[in-house]
Amino acid sequence: MDKRVQSIKWLYLSFFLLPVLAMAQEKETQKDKGTNIDEVVLVGYTKVSKKDVTNAVSSVKAEAIKDMPSNNAAEAIQGRMAGVQVSLSEGSPGADVDIVIRGGNSITGSNAPLYIVDGVQMDNALSILSPKEIESIEVLKDASSTSIYGARGANGVVLISTKGGRKKAKTFINYNGFLGVRSIHNTIDVLDPYQYVLYQYELYNKAGIQTDIDAFKTRYGTFEDLGKYKDIKKRDWQDEVFGREAFNFTHNLSLTGGTEKSSFSLSLNNVQEDGIMIGSGFKRNMANFKYDYDISKKLSLTLNARYSRQTIFGAGTSSTGSQGTNRLRNAVRYQPFEGGSTVDVDEFDPLFADQTNLVNPVLLANNEVKENGRNDLMLNGTLEYKINKDFTFRSVIGYVQRDEFVNQFSGTVTSLARQNNDQPVVFLSKAQTRRITNTNTLNFRKTFGKHKLDLLAGQEIVKTDGESLAINIKWFPKSISAEEAFANIQSASPPSGLVQDAPKAGRAPDRLASFFGRANYIFNNKYILTASMRADGSSVFGPGNRWGYFPAASAAWKITEENFLKDSKTISELKLRVGYGLSGNNRIGAFLYDTFFITSSDYGYAFGTNVTPGATTGNIMANKNVKWETATSKNAGLDFGLFNGRIYGTLDVYQTDTKDLLLLAKIPQTTGYEYQYQNSGSTTNKGIEFSVGSTIISKENFTWKIDANISSNKNTIKSLGNNTSASSNFYYYPSGWQNNLNDFLVQVGKPVGTYWGYVTAGRYEINDFDYNSTTQVYTLKAGVPNASAAANGAKPIQPGDLKLQDLNNDGIIDNQDMTDLGNAQPKFYGGFNQTFRYKNWDMSLMFNFSVGNKVYNANKIEYSTQYLYKDNNMLAEVANRWRWFDDAGIKVNDPTALAALNANTTGWTPPAGAYFLHSYAIEDGSFLRLNNVTLGYSLGKEFTKQLGLSNFRLYFTMNNVFTITGYSGYDPEANTRRNPLTPGVDYAAYPRSRFILSGVDITF
């Protein structure tokens, strides 16, 4: 096994062993220093004592994240919960955060969980919440807990409660602010100027074509002149584009208090963050007001208003994730020095751009302007009426509105403008979604001697509406600025006979009606039984398929309440849980069961001198039979506590079977369509989760706590139904970074996200060829597999070319030799964190890790393949390629001399064919990352009291401190495809940065 993986394992195990040793030496034992066994958690529209929970639930409380400065709530919980993978797709400001619970169930649909904030559904809620305002986050992981949420609960449910004030409390004002700076953490090594020109010399001179030889001399000089490139100043384009110091200013202000009958909380958040890339940044303003009022002894009211306004600046590194818009390529492959062109390096050279497919990366970054804005409004009110001591009625009504816009300007040096008469292009889009929710529940709670009964009945409606509009506007005046173009779109003037693209508009109505019930029974405080049922009716399905039914049941046995353990001094808590349930997924667009027409100039026809837009049904065929996707989950768990709660933990094993997958299936084009949504196929997720925590040392002046978790999940495709092209059990799928590259395999018996490609076999050596000394031609020997078609653009194979394994032994390398190259699924993953307090000092360390997952480094393929263009820089390892020219610049053909020349080289000649996947780009993505280190100091109570304060804390934090990994790219967690079928692809990701900050936390 790789030494890095072993080191990660040993380091992780040490965090379990050290606490045991420390506890063995500490004799003091205190009951109140362990986990709070009376902790309350949210489960299924109601609060339940943690000791009575029968489901698989992970929880993070405000106490755990209160001292961690972060602008993203998802980052604050990363690595804290077993079975919950939290990862950033890339390092850009405001980057998407992926949260996957127990491996995810869908293939082509979203695997994002359902978010409920203060009782109201929200999409991607963690992106609009400040960690400082979160009271608790509960993650429901098994169907016995999620089924009561029915629709969209198949991928887990995240319940978020925000902080409020306290009744009978004086008013407190808290300010928490920090100032920080980000810097690039890692770069891709490329050829230096001398290595670069040597490689270009080989490209221009290898074929002996005089025009190429002359072109090289014109651009770079003679071979004798190349020595000057050893001393020429190198331009590090990655540093120039991504190397700026990016400052962050964050302010959090909260006001809380209460009277005899009411409490209030006002939270304000302001973030101004620069990105490390030129032109990128992030700005956010948030406000949240929460008010609780006891109208009478029986009637109470809670009102909550939240508003968030955020804008992400910058076009990023790849707007669509495809090769055509890869801006990272320019920073990696642009010539690493000034000169080599008839135009100054800091000016745009259209001829050089055409010849190299590259643009000066600094010019490009300054020639693209993008503003991606989002405004979120959430209003909700809760009315709770205690009918009597047993019955409680609760009604929650919420309104959520999201407005999004994109303003993008592509200046004259961009490829988009050059495709449109060298004139700027503007893309504008606006979208709004509105959601109204109303949930009404009636709760009955009563104790009869040894019997405790908790019944809940409820009804819920969710009404979602929205509109979107997008327009691409071409042919602006060349001198126009981005701001002028956004404000004056009428200044775009199409050439004679052409028309602007027609706007694209859409509406997204969605209706959901639900009825549900839940019963919880406890006997003698030992045996707990919970059952629930939910019925959901969704408008996205056609008549006859709109209703789905999701039952669930779970049970628990408090073993420590039995006589044989009741007086145990070692085992303070032991509870066995089992659960079974169904949950549903309806995440498809509206009206897919019917046929609609769209208009576009793309489908237009000529009429006179103009183009008249036409109408089409699109490429997705209607399906009246599509119905609910259903996930069936089985779970068994064990909760334990030792030494009066000094050590506590949970062990869960589970299996989730998802059937009737809502899958965007590729269908025969003889139908006139390309895709159709179908209930096609099934998947299985099996796994085990273990979490443990401990208060290792608890003394008056020193405490040491640790929490750790580790999880393993195995995903398997069980069936693909009718969604096949070549067989009944598999099909190929493109990652999309390069056109027509089917580099993923979707096959029954394998996990989702299986890489599909060739196996790298090194390079062709001299002994693989017959050499004709008269013609000086190398010809492959009989029996040596020929990779010409697969790797070399059908050009004859020569010594030093890339060699691939001939898996079927037919002597030809073709798609029959492609195979399973691994997948993005880790063998296990998790995190651990430690907190220390010594007198007035505090310190915390947060780690997360992954072991056994593979990463598809698509950058590595592109930056080591020659393909179409010369004058492109390459990865630094290309310097160790096969050589054809000796130190005097003379081409060597003689086999003996050529072998001697390459005795100390190990790399192959960059392939001349199209891009393709081979195992060289599939790397071990195992890593151990120290995500966060925070050191704080709080002034003593007597001193703060003299200042009129109740708290004053200074802190210093570093995020993304170090990463132990063998991965050669920017970041082993990069995931740029945004598609469940193509995980783990690192292509043109925005580099991840290190963040150093200091701040202050003051309470008046």
Side-chain angles (χ1 to χ4, degrees), residues 93 279-283 309-316 319 327 365 367-375 403-410 425-431 481-487:
S280 65
F282 176 70
K283 183 185 294 185
R309 183 182 183 90
Q310 63 184 38
T311 305
I312 300 172
F313 300 96
S319 61
R327 299 170 190 89
N367 217 241
E368 291 186 297
V369 175
K370 185 177 181 181
E371 301 169 355
N372 192 333
R374 171 177 154 187
N375 301 332
D403 293 274
E404 298 176 281
F405 72 88
V406 175
N407 297 335
Q408 183 160 359
F409 173 84
S410 299
V425 177
V426 164
F427 174 78
L428 302 175
S429 74
K430 290 186 177 181
S481 68
E483 292 75 14
E484 291 170 338
F486 294 151

Side-chain angles (χ1 to χ4, degrees), residues 113 224 229 282 353 387 564 600 675 723 764 809 874 903 907 930:
E224 290 73 20
Y229 289 95
F282 176 70
I387 301 172
F564 58 86
S600 172
Y675 299 99
N723 181 37
Y764 288 97
N809 296 314
M874 293 285 200
L930 177 54

Side-chain angles (χ1 to χ4, degrees), residues 937-957:
Y937 179 79
S938 301
L939 296 181
K941 292 184 179 179
E942 293 184 2
F943 190 62
T944 55
K945 189 175 181 180
Q946 293 177 7
L947 297 175
L949 306 174
S950 59
N951 176 67
F952 187 95
R953 177 175 176 265
L954 298 170
Y955 56 86
F956 170 83
T957 293

Side-chain angles (χ1 to χ4, degrees), residues 136-157:
S136 67
I137 299 176
E138 268 85 37
V139 178
L140 312 184
K141 299 183 290 188
D142 64 337
S144 64
S145 59
T146 63
S147 65
I148 197 168
Y149 288 97
R152 301 175 64 187
N155 297 313
V157 179

Side-chain angles (χ1 to χ4, degrees), residues 205 447 617 665:
N205 288 269
T447 301
T617 56

Side-chain angles (χ1 to χ4, degrees), residues 183-314:
S183 58
I184 191 167
H185 177 52
N186 190 18
T187 57
I188 296 174
D189 293 332
V190 298
L191 299 175
D192 64 30
Y194 182 63
Q195 294 169 334
Y196 169 82
V197 294
L198 284 181
Y199 177 59
Q200 298 307 319
Y201 180 82
E202 179 180 304
L203 288 180
Y204 277 89
N205 288 269
K206 183 179 177 181
I209 301 173
Q210 191 60 45
T211 54
D212 286 349
I213 295 172
D214 294 339
F216 178 85
K217 290 179 181 179
T218 301
R219 187 180 294 276
Y220 302 106
T222 65
F223 185 83
E224 290 73 20
D225 296 330
L226 300 189
K228 67 182 181 182
Y229 289 95
K230 294 181 179 179
D231 302 317
I232 198 170
K233 182 181 178 181
K234 177 183 179 181
R235 293 200 69 167
D236 186 342
W237 295 109
Q238 292 178 75
D239 181 67
E240 292 192 39
V241 176
F242 303 106
R244 70 173 182 169
E245 292 185 337
F247 287 92
N248 176 294
F249 301 89
T250 296
H251 307 279
N252 295 283
L253 182 67
S254 66
L255 181 68
T256 60
T259 64
E260 187 75 21
K261 291 187 176 182
S262 67
S263 65
F264 69 91
S265 172
L266 173 65
S267 300
L268 303 174
N269 171 258
N270 172 261
V271 179
Q272 297 184 58
E273 177 180 324
D274 294 328
I276 60 172
M277 182 181 180
I278 295 172
S280 65
F282 176 70
K283 183 185 294 185
R284 183 178 70 189
N285 291 290
M286 293 195 304
N288 182 45
F289 180 71
K290 198 170 187 178
Y291 180 72
D292 293 284
Y293 180 66
D294 292 335
I295 300 173
S296 66
K297 290 184 178 181
K298 290 188 174 184
L299 186 63
S300 63
L301 175 68
T302 299
L303 299 174
N304 194 3
R306 171 183 302 281
Y307 179 73
S308 170
R309 183 182 183 90
Q310 63 184 38
T311 305
I312 300 172
F313 300 96

Side-chain angles (χ1 to χ4, degrees), residues 828-841:
F828 56 89
Y829 62 92
F832 47 91
N833 61 84
Q834 297 189 77
T835 57
F836 305 87
R837 295 191 182 275
Y838 175 69
K839 294 185 178 179
N840 293 341
W841 292 89

